[in-house]
């Protein structure tokens, strides 16, 4: 199981979510507003982005990354970044159940 984190332009969110909904058996995702500092042109300017967090089985990593990459791409500076992180363990808060996949 892997966690995919993506920081994207807020105006690309609808297209990214639409692309992700086309992937069969995709589990839930978390979407939040992220505030960052960009060091463009020698100054630190605050920028607002959208952050997606999705835990997926290994076989869905590539389709999810590809869907996000295509749907979030504008070709302009600031399109964002995707990070894939291995998940060692998950714990269901309600039940206490532990495992790498739930």
């Amino acid at each position: 199981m892997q966690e995919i984190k993506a920081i994207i332009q807020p105006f690309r969110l609808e297209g990214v979510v639409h692309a992700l909904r086309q992937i069969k058996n995709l589990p839930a995702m978390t979407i939040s507003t992220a505030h960052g500092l960009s060091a463009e042109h020698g100054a630190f300017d605050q920028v607002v982005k959208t952050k997606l967090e999705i835990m997926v089985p290994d076989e869905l990593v590539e389709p999810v990354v590809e869907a996000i990459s295509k749907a979030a791409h504008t070709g302009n500076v600031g399109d964002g970044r995707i990070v894939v992180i291995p998940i060692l363990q998950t714990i269901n808060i309600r039940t206490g159940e532990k495992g790498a996949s739930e």
Side-chain angles (χ1 to χ4, degrees):
M1 181 168 263
Q2 309 280 330
E3 180 181 20
I4 299 171
K5 292 186 180 193
I7 306 294
I8 63 170
Q9 295 281 11
F11 68 91
R12 302 302 291 178
L13 177 61
E14 186 176 332
V16 169
V17 170
H18 177 75
L20 290 171
R21 284 187 173 148
Q22 307 310 307
I23 299 172
K24 187 177 180 180
N25 298 322
L26 183 70
M29 69 182 92
T30 300
I31 301 170
S32 56
T33 300
H35 298 265
L37 294 176
S38 171
E40 293 248 343
H41 310 294
F44 282 98
D45 296 320
Q46 184 171 338
V47 294
V48 177
K49 301 285 186 163
T50 298
K51 181 178 182 181
L52 296 124
E53 297 173 281
I54 311 166
M55 292 187 291
V56 299
D58 292 342
E59 62 271 9
L60 290 182
V61 170
E62 286 307 313
V64 169
V65 168
E66 185 176 329
I68 295 169
S69 294
K70 286 181 178 178
H73 181 263
T74 67
N76 297 321
V77 172
D79 270 354
R81 184 166 303 268
I82 300 169
V83 180
V84 180
I85 304 163
I87 295 176
L88 300 177
Q89 183 179 43
T90 64
I91 301 163
N92 183 313
I93 294 172
R94 181 180 57 85
T95 65
E97 182 179 355
K98 296 180 181 182
S101 60
E102 299 199 16

